[in-house]
């Protein structure tokens, strides 16, 4: 199967943040789940040295796991960040990604599109900032053997992502494709997959459910919330999204990691929920291949 289903350390985020579980235990859980790849958010190992990260990679390799490094927000010009600060952040993450022997480093911009709705000039400033940071950081990343991947993080549209890649150079960066985020920016997810999957070697998948917010007398609702869930637990059109991804990816290698954003510090339910979620995704992939 060209598309490999993995897990993201964000599934354990609140437990990791509370010190209730270690990264080493997360790796053991991944093995128990049959996940060959773990996308590791560098926030979860921020207190470990580069040498300690090399040791963590050795532990993962001994378990038969690959690690894919994930950085954080590059920065935002409207918050006072300049390009040199963004480049410095990326270079620090590249060094840590290389210690983990990750072939890629996922990055995200510093804003959410909903925050800047109706302000196209500010969105364009964010786009220019991201493009310049990636252009300046890409050469040193290549020397380290790490490819920079920008996630479609509920920020830019498909067209804006294509422009970023065009400005920086397809040989110098790629995309980390989240299958659900286009829905958040009111983009067409099928178009997003068709246009961005050729630029991607890995990405996220999750599910969501919709919960009504009722007036006190419950005569009508005032709106609804979107709550993230594990694949198979919600109402996202995952079968169609996965089938489209499989069609565009074809026979090339691709890592699809479950991004479980619904964690609690005192609830140990990751393996219990990830098992069915992985089986659900593998079933969708098998159906897409028929």
């Amino acid at each position: 199967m060209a598309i490999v289903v993995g897990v993201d350390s964000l599934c354990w985020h609140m437990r990791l943040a509370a010190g209730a579980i270690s990264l080493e235990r997360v790796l053991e859980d991944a093995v128990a789940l049959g996940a060959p790849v773990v996308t590791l958010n560098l926030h979860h190992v921020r207190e470990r040295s580069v040498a300690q990260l090399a040791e963590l990679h050795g532990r993962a390799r001994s378990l038969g796991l690959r690690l894919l490094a994930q950085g954080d927000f590059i920065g935002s010009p409207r918050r006072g960040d300049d390009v040199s600060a963004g480049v410095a952040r990326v270079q620090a993450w590249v060094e840590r990604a290389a210690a983990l022997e990750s072939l890629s480093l996922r990055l995200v911009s510093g804003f959410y599109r909903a925050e800047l709705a109706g302000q196209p000039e500010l969105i364009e400033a964010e786009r220019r900032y991201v493009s310049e940071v990636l252009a300046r950081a890409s050469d040193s990343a290549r020397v380290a053997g790490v490819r920079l991947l920008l996630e479609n993080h509920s920020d830019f549209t498909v067209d804006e992502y294509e422009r970023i890649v065009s400005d920086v150079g397809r040989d110098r960066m790629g995309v980390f494709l989240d299958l659900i985020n286009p829905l958040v920016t009111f983009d067409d997810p099928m178009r997003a997959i068709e246009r961005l999957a050729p630029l991607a070697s890995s990405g996220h998948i999750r599910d969501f459910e919709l919960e009504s917010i009722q007036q006190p007398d419950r005569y009508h609702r005032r709106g609804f919330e979107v709550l993230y869930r594990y694949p198979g637990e919600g109402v996202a059109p995952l079968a169609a999204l996965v089938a489209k991804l499989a069609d565009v990816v074809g026979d090339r290698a691709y890592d699809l990691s479950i991004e479980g954003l619904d964690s609690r510090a005192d609830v140990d339910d990751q393996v219990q929920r990830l098992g069915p979620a992985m089986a659900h995704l593998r079933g969708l992939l098998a159906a897409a291949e028929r």
Side-chain angles (χ1 to χ4, degrees):
M1 184 179 294
I3 298 178
V4 173
V5 178
V7 295
D8 193 302
S9 64
L10 285 168
C11 298
W12 292 264
H13 172 70
M14 289 307 302
R15 298 187 66 218
L16 286 166
I21 191 173
S22 69
L23 244 305
E24 285 74 13
R25 169 65 187 280
V26 168
L27 298 183
E28 292 170 4
D29 283 354
V31 172
L33 288 162
V37 61
V38 176
T39 48
L40 174 59
N41 196 300
L42 294 178
H43 175 79
H44 295 146
V45 289
R46 63 193 181 281
E47 296 179 356
R48 301 198 189 195
S49 67
V50 171
Q52 289 172 324
L53 293 183
E55 293 175 359
L56 184 65
H57 165 260
R59 175 60 177 159
R61 183 173 57 187
S62 72
L63 294 171
L65 295 172
R66 287 183 293 115
L67 299 178
L68 296 179
Q70 299 190 94
D72 262 307
F73 297 106
I74 296 173
S76 171
R78 70 190 177 97
R79 294 193 173 96
D81 291 314
D82 59 25
V83 171
S84 61
V87 172
R89 288 189 188 103
V90 174
Q91 290 175 334
W93 291 326
V94 164
E95 180 184 19
R96 298 172 76 76
L100 294 168
E101 296 195 17
S102 173
L103 298 179
S104 63
L105 171 65
R106 164 266 198 186
L107 302 164
V108 294
S109 73
F111 81 106
Y112 293 103
R113 197 172 193 88
E115 298 173 343
L116 301 181
Q119 303 178 79
E121 71 285 353
L122 294 183
I123 293 174
E124 174 60 15
E126 299 285 348
R127 189 201 63 78
R128 290 197 303 268
Y129 174 86
V130 167
S131 293
E132 192 167 353
V133 168
L134 294 180
R136 292 194 188 183
S138 61
D139 287 340
S140 58
R142 267 200 300 190
V143 170
V146 177
R147 181 169 176 78
L148 302 181
L149 303 178
L150 184 65
E151 180 178 350
N152 57 320
H153 198 244
S154 306
D155 43 21
F156 301 113
T157 64
V158 172
D159 292 338
E160 289 163 346
Y161 268 97
E162 289 185 319
R163 185 173 177 190
I164 291 170
V165 174
S166 175
D167 288 349
V168 177
R170 186 168 177 172
D171 60 329
R172 303 171 72 192
M173 69 161 289
V175 169
F176 186 94
L177 180 59
D178 188 297
L179 297 185
I180 295 299
N181 281 342
L183 295 168
V184 181
T185 54
F186 302 102
D187 246 341
D188 177 355
M190 296 303 181
R191 178 174 178 265
I193 295 170
E194 182 175 341
R195 302 283 286 274
L196 298 183
L199 305 172
S201 57
S202 55
H204 278 151
I205 188 169
R206 62 186 181 279
D207 208 336
F208 62 81
E209 67 176 0
L210 306 176
E211 185 173 296
S212 292
I213 305 172
Q214 297 285 348
Q215 292 284 18
D217 66 356
R218 303 188 69 82
Y219 182 69
H220 68 83
R221 67 179 185 174
R222 66 178 66 204
F224 62 89
E225 293 179 316
V226 179
L227 302 173
Y228 293 134
R229 296 290 182 254
Y230 286 70
E233 295 181 351
V235 297
L238 297 188
L241 297 177
V242 167
K244 182 66 172 179
L245 180 67
D247 179 60
V248 176
V249 167
D251 294 330
R252 65 184 176 88
Y254 190 95
D255 293 308
L256 181 62
S257 293
I258 296 173
E259 185 185 29
L261 300 181
D262 181 30
S263 67
R264 291 168 175 77
D266 59 346
V267 179
D268 180 7
D269 66 352
Q270 285 72 37
V271 172
Q272 176 186 351
R273 297 171 72 186
L274 279 167
M278 293 182 71
H280 181 65
L281 285 180
R282 287 170 176 157
L284 294 180
L285 286 166
E289 290 183 347
R290 288 199 289 268

